[in-house]
Amino acid sequence: MTTTPKRLLVGRPLASDRLDETLLPKRIALAVFCSDPLSSVAYATQEILLVLAIGGTALLHLAWWAAGGVIALLVVVVASYRQTCYAYPNGGGAYAVSRENLGAGASLVAASALLVDYVLTVAVSVVAGMDNVVSAFPAFASHEVALSVAAVAALVAANLRGVKESGRAFAVPTYGFVASILLVIVVGAVRGLLGNPVVAASAGLPLHAQQNFTGVALLLLLLRAFSSGCTALTGVEAISNGVPSFRPPKPRNAARTLAAMGALAVTMFGGITALALTSGVHIAEDPTALGLPPDAPQQTVIAQLGAATFGGSSVMFYLTQAFTAAVLVLAANTAFSGFPVLASILSRDGYLPRQFTRRGDRLVFSNGIVVLGLLAIALVVAFDADTTRLIQLYIIGVFVSFTLSQLGMVRHWTRDLAGTSNRALRRRIVRSRAVNAIGAGSTALVLVVVLVTKFVHGAWIVIIAMPLLLWMMTAIRRHYRRVAQALRPAPGGFPLPARVHLVVPVARLHTAALRALAYARATRPTTLTAVTAEVDPAETAALIREWEERDLPVPLVVLEAPYRDITRALLAYVDQRRREAGPHDVIGVFVPEYIVAHWWEHLLHNQSALRLKTRLLFRPGVFVTSVPAHLRGDGLLDSTPSSHSTGAAAGAATGTAPGTAPGTAPGTPETPDERSLAQLTRG
Amino acid sequence: MTTTPKRLLVGRPLASDRLDETLLPKRIALAVFCSDPLSSVAYATQEILLVLAIGGTALLHLAWWAAGGVIALLVVVVASYRQTCYAYPNGGGAYAVSRENLGAGASLVAASALLVDYVLTVAVSVVAGMDNVVSAFPAFASHEVALSVAAVAALVAANLRGVKESGRAFAVPTYGFVASILLVIVVGAVRGLLGNPVVAASAGLPLHAQQNFTGVALLLLLLRAFSSGCTALTGVEAISNGVPSFRPPKPRNAARTLAAMGALAVTMFGGITALALTSGVHIAEDPTALGLPPDAPQQTVIAQLGAATFGGSSVMFYLTQAFTAAVLVLAANTAFSGFPVLASILSRDGYLPRQFTRRGDRLVFSNGIVVLGLLAIALVVAFDADTTRLIQLYIIGVFVSFTLSQLGMVRHWTRDLAGTSNRALRRRIVRSRAVNAIGAGSTALVLVVVLVTKFVHGAWIVIIAMPLLLWMMTAIRRHYRRVAQALRPAPGGFPLPARVHLVVPVARLHTAALRALAYARATRPTTLTAVTAEVDPAETAALIREWEERDLPVPLVVLEAPYRDITRALLAYVDQRRREAGPHDVIGVFVPEYIVAHWWEHLLHNQSALRLKTRLLFRPGVFVTSVPAHLRGDGLLDSTPSSHSTGAAAGAATGTAPGTAPGTAPGTPETPDERSLAQLTRG
């Protein structure tokens, strides 16, 4: 019924055995997993410049140092994660690695850091992408929030269709972006060598210092610029998480893709930063520092370089902006690969609700995808689609998981070493361990720098969010454990209820009520009672009259409803029956319901039935049965087995011995005495 | 569980027999039902002046004519509705009167007009009230929408508590408003007679004509001003609707209250208009016409007169504003008395969803109150809390229902006349009919005037909304009729299902599953089958092993779930069983569910059960049973009859003859053979 829109959006369902088909070749994997670290070139340089701009033109040259630090760190981290690809061919996410090597506590810290980061990856990338759209088309400047939300929604839809189709769609913009950025760098370098250097449009603007920095303050500003530049590292871990998605030999293909990504990232980030500095790009959070009005729009660094290199209305400028925006939106896709998988692993381990383990029709973890999308949209709206403010939250989590992951790898190699006597192998392991140790040391150091320099600028939000997430995950696990404990069956037998007392609430004597009575009677209960709550005495009198006319072989109990609350009266009656019943008896309530043809018709029916059913579920020793009467669009009842001719009463039940055949179980043979009662209406 | 917040908001539930206690004495009834027509004094004059202001200072004197017309009409309509009070002591709403005298079609037109008007009464009154708050405290000028929404929400809460408590709370502001307005008028008149007339603050402002009016245009402007002034009549019908809420003798008390209200309204409206004109109040929709900046705030007419009479920072000025704001908010309460009652009548007649007939815990029609509040909030937000724009929608519906109601009364008297021979009585009836005929004629004429002069200014929205409502109501009635037709039971007997096949979906072998199996088995089905869907082969193997170890006397069927969609696999199985079963058989599905202690824990459970149950309800010939396992806060299972010692198995069922005693019905005596199966686990 309601599946058609879903099909259009998501595509046909895929069977489980097609899971292997979604494995990725290297060039597609690069597009899928590396759009995040590559695309961060589009904003990492800009974030460095925005921090240094506070100190005015005189301090912009410090960007060389900040960028140099970022590049060195990028090389170290890429080298470190290549080790992880080999050591964990089934996916070396920070959670798995730290769980195996550092224990459950550390792994949960890593997991909460990763979950936060996935959400921020989506928010930051999409918003930065829209910044570049607005740089090309300033008319959209006031609609950035709406544009960003629409982009996230589109990503959710694409990912619900499955990763492979996404991969293909992502290759063009990723490689288009790489090509156009490299072209900007090459043209810039060539023109520089030819003595006709590229000059940014904003080079002519003044850049007033808003504050003076000397000594420690200057150092802190440089470190803060470096911290901001570290956004270039976000997403490097995606490949090591995604090793199982590669084609075999998975580890080698993953490690090679990682190396290629590192080389591209270093080239592009270094080139863009150098070009931005030599072409004199001036950009500031507060436009008045540039002598502009307070709400003047500023182009992104990429847009300024593209316009200066190709011309502000050239096809190549618009193409560069289009690729940049596209790759940034697609960078968010890294998170859509990672978040649902991590959520499903955490869910399998009992730390998140079980729904996250469920693969959807298209073999993806649909719930994780939807939740990630909603959280990212919430962040975009809350931070008013401001890249710089969002980036303050971003880097903490990345470096927490980097550090834990590398630390775990050091432990991993140490343990490997203990079990290895082969000298060549031992040498390789020692080298790997050294790489990971350097990685862990540097990322830990950067984490401290980030914490110190970013705390007041927004990182505190993450510092609060991560422990909350941690607490929630442990609470969920405690709950599931408690439930499993409570549900463990006793070793002895499980007793059958001694008697079954059935109750059928009846408002009017229509087919739905008769059907509920017939079904209830067919289950041969110990007692069967129809009950009605008196709201209007005239209606009740009419019901009793009709009941007697039909000579129904079921007693009808009339309840007072002093508060006109039918539900309450029925609940009180059920409670009374439970008190009167034996301790080993069970009460069942058969509720007549209408199933109507259109959703809006549901608003006109079943409200009392729904209320009653919900409240009854909270009574121990009571089971609740819905007996649906199906109304077709033309207003007629759908024909069902029991609405056939009265000949039905003659059908004899076949009793089979226990367990004789699958699909059948012991029944009670009908006695002749019973068969005479099989017709609900006497006569 | 969840009732505590509701109790705090709404109060303790009241029993039906306390319905009489909520009858109102005249002085309280005046406050409850007349706050609407009385409070409209606060904006009716202003709306006349705003229309005439378009023609500049020279045309303001036309306000005398417009106001005179309004007063004459008010007298006619009050006289006319007094007849209704006597003729319909059980409540002579436009719907009831036109239904009885003009037929179902006319009554539905009246009903849709009334429903629209009730919503607009709430929106207009609350927004006008907040206009007066802002006039006293200009700091709130930018929060009018939020203030209005909060006021509507407060009214909803007050009305959910019941009408009597509302009445008491409403007497003070209504009489306070009447007293302060009369004081303004008296002080103004005395000062005028003493040669020291009151002068409004805006009297010094110029009032530039924005357009020149001559001939027909001038007449149309006057008629438009008159139309706007007719807002003073809104709510006059409330008393005739509410006759049953009066203390006996209901008709006479209601008619007297109506007369008192009419006298007060004429005095206050006439006095305020006269004072506004003599004190030189200048007000315009466009502040530039007054030589002010485009977004300059203007005080309401009431605030200007209060400030001019008492001084702009005097206690009496603030008191007048407070009473005015309060009475306007309470005027909205007229609609909260009328809308839910009308909705319940329409619902009883099948034109609105049945939920509207349900009286809540506090003897009020809770659903009507909540729906009215939500619709009014939507209007306030959509029209940005602008009184003048909202008023354009307001008057059409009022005069449609006025006209239909008076026409109905004319027919009513004509019929009465036919059955009466007493001459004195006939004379009285003829006089009454004349009064109603004059009422009907004048309101019909005004309706035409309003239609012509207001159409382009917003009335078209109502012209569209009313037929839509009409269509919706007839569609709902058609639906209920069709359902009733379909559910009418066949005159012969109703057949019992021949066989009952029960299916129990099982994921793991825990207590909840065992309980569902035990309950299902206790209903002695023809066949009983446990089914599980294989998602993880290892888990399934473990389940089968445990099943065999426990030697459960129920066959377990393992289903393939190629799409990992457990629900789909189970549905396919149920469909297959239905095809295999006889035409007169029925399938029942017993679904194990967990009932957890906290609402948030629900998010962690039952998602698959809910999906399965919802989908199963759409299968004809299938009933669905929820078997709850209750988990307490400490994580233990709530003890229930069937979780007792295995001694339960020994309890013998007592079979009683059909219909021998209320509360019992025929059961199947247990045979010795059955009793040996009563233990679910063998051995």
Side-chain angles (χ1 to χ4, degrees), chain A residues 152-240:
Chain A
V152 175
L155 275 174
V156 168
N159 275 278
L160 288 177
R161 294 191 69 97
V163 69
K164 191 165 182 196
E165 291 179 19
S166 317
R168 257 180 227 152
F170 294 176
V172 174
T174 304
Y175 289 112
F177 171 69
V178 169
S180 34
I181 294 297
L182 291 180
L183 189 62
V184 168
I185 294 168
V186 168
V187 170
V190 168
R191 276 179 51 180
L193 290 175
L194 296 180
N196 171 27
V198 171
V199 178
S202 60
L205 296 175
L207 182 55
H208 305 296
Q210 295 167 281
Q211 216 177 318
N212 282 322
F213 293 90
T214 49
V216 178
L218 186 64
L219 182 65
L220 276 175
L221 187 75
L222 174 58
L223 287 176
R224 203 177 133 200
F226 166 73
S227 293
S228 289
C230 284
T231 47
L233 274 87
T234 56
V236 167
E237 81 290 352
I239 286 181
S240 69

Side-chain angles (χ1 to χ4, degrees), chain B residues 160-376:
Chain B
L160 288 176
R161 295 191 69 98
V163 69
K164 191 166 183 196
E165 290 179 21
S166 315
R168 257 178 226 152
F170 294 175
V172 175
T174 303
Y175 289 113
F177 171 71
V178 169
S180 36
I181 294 298
L182 291 179
L183 190 61
V184 167
I185 294 168
V186 168
V187 170
V190 169
R191 277 180 49 180
L193 290 175
L194 297 180
N196 173 26
V198 171
V199 178
S202 60
L205 296 175
L207 182 54
H208 305 296
Q210 293 166 282
Q211 216 177 315
N212 282 321
F213 294 91
T214 49
V216 177
L218 186 63
L219 181 66
L220 276 175
L221 187 75
L222 174 58
L223 288 177
R224 201 176 136 203
F226 166 72
S227 295
S228 289
C230 285
T231 47
L233 274 87
T234 56
V236 167
E237 81 290 353
I239 286 182
S240 69
N241 290 352
V243 180
S245 294
F246 280 80
R247 289 200 177 150
K250 296 182 179 200
R252 207 177 63 186
N253 280 333
R256 284 188 178 179
T257 310
L258 186 50
M261 185 278 287
L264 277 176
V266 166
T267 312
M268 289 162 70
F269 173 68
I272 288 292
T273 307
L275 195 58
L277 287 173
T278 54
S279 69
V281 169
H282 285 180
I283 191 165
E285 269 195 81
D286 180 1
T288 57
L290 302 169
L292 299 171
D295 53 353
Q298 296 177 63
Q299 282 190 314
T300 60
V301 168
I302 293 289
Q304 293 196 29
L305 294 181
T309 309
F310 304 125
S313 56
S314 66
V315 174
M316 262 315 290
F317 166 68
Y318 283 104
L319 211 57
T320 307
Q321 288 312 105
F323 280 135
T324 307
V327 83
L328 279 163
V329 170
L330 301 181
N333 192 64
T334 316
F336 280 101
S337 310
F339 182 96
V341 173
L342 177 60
S344 84
I345 294 172
L346 286 168
S347 167
R348 207 191 51 208
D349 292 348
Y351 292 112
L352 283 182
R354 287 220 190 89
Q355 292 95 296
F356 286 110
T357 52
R358 187 169 176 268
R359 277 187 193 267
D361 292 344
R362 300 283 292 182
L363 299 174
V364 293
F365 295 109
S366 319
N367 288 325
I369 290 169
V370 171
V371 167
L372 174 62
L374 291 178
L375 290 173

Side-chain angles (χ1 to χ4, degrees), chain A residues 133 323 353 562:
Chain A
V133 169
F323 280 135

Side-chain angles (χ1 to χ4, degrees), chain A residues 479 496 564 605 625 665 668 674 678, chain B residues 16 479 496 528 625 668 674 678:
Chain A
H479 171 80
L496 285 189
R564 300 149 314 285
H605 296 285
T625 300
T668 318
E674 275 174 23
Chain B
S16 289
H479 171 80
L496 285 189
L528 171 60
T625 300
T668 318
E674 278 174 18

Side-chain angles (χ1 to χ4, degrees), chain A residues 1 7 13-16 353-355 358-361 363 479-480 482-483 486-500 509-512 514-515 518-519 521-529 550 553 555 562-565 568 577 583-586 593-596 601-605 607 611 617-626 628 630-631 633-638 640-642 644-646 648 651-654 658 661-668 670 674 677-682, chain B residues 1 7 13-16 353 355 358-361 363 479-480 482-483 486-500 508-512 514-515 518-519 521-529 550 553 555 557 562-565 568 577 583-586 593-596 601-605 607 611 617-626 628 630-631 633-638 640-642 644 646 648 651-654 658 661-668 670 674 677-682:
Chain A
M1 271 184 77
R7 286 292 148 259
L14 299 173
S16 288
R354 285 218 192 91
Q355 292 96 293
R358 185 170 177 269
R359 276 188 194 268
D361 292 342
L363 299 173
H479 171 80
Y480 277 134
R482 254 193 356 232
V483 169
L487 288 177
R488 193 164 296 157
F494 194 92
L496 285 189
R499 299 180 202 80
V500 178
L509 199 59
H510 45 45
T511 313
L514 286 175
R515 176 174 307 189
Y519 282 19
R521 200 173 158 82
T523 67
R524 304 190 188 87
T526 317
T527 71
L528 170 61
T529 320
R550 286 193 167 256
Y563 299 96
R564 300 149 314 285
D565 191 336
R568 196 175 305 188
R577 291 296 303 272
H584 313 307
D585 294 0
V586 66
E593 287 191 53
Y594 317 108
I595 306 302
V596 283
E601 296 177 335
H602 271 284
L603 299 176
L604 306 175
H605 296 285
Q607 307 300 326
R611 201 159 40 227
L617 273 182
F618 287 87
R619 258 94 184 148
V622 175
F623 66 87
V624 189
T625 300
S626 305
H630 295 84
L631 295 156
D634 55 9
L636 291 173
L637 268 184
D638 239 9
T640 62
S642 64
H644 278 264
S645 76
T646 52
T654 29
T664 58
T668 318
E670 283 188 59
E674 275 174 23
L677 296 173
Q679 185 105 357
L680 186 63
T681 308
R682 286 196 192 110
Chain B
M1 272 182 79
R7 286 292 148 258
L14 299 173
S16 289
Q355 292 95 296
R358 187 169 176 268
R359 277 187 193 267
D361 292 344
L363 299 174
H479 171 80
Y480 276 134
R482 249 189 6 227
V483 169
L487 289 176
R488 192 164 296 157
F494 194 90
L496 285 189
R499 299 179 201 81
V500 178
R508 274 173 302 279
L509 199 59
H510 45 46
T511 314
L514 286 176
R515 175 173 308 189
Y519 281 22
R521 200 173 159 81
T523 68
R524 304 192 190 86
T526 317
T527 71
L528 171 60
T529 319
R550 288 195 164 253
V557 173
Y563 299 97
R564 301 149 314 286
D565 190 337
R568 195 175 306 188
R577 291 296 302 273
H584 312 306
D585 294 0
V586 65
E593 287 192 54
Y594 317 108
I595 306 302
V596 284
E601 296 177 337
H602 272 284
L603 299 176
L604 306 175
H605 296 286
Q607 307 300 326
R611 202 160 37 228
L617 272 183
F618 287 87
R619 258 97 184 145
V622 175
F623 67 86
V624 190
T625 300
S626 304
H630 295 83
L631 296 155
D634 55 10
L636 292 172
L637 267 184
D638 239 10
T640 63
S642 64
H644 279 265
T646 52
T654 30
T664 58
T668 318
E670 283 188 61
E674 278 174 18
L677 295 173
Q679 185 104 359
L680 186 63
T681 310
R682 287 196 192 111

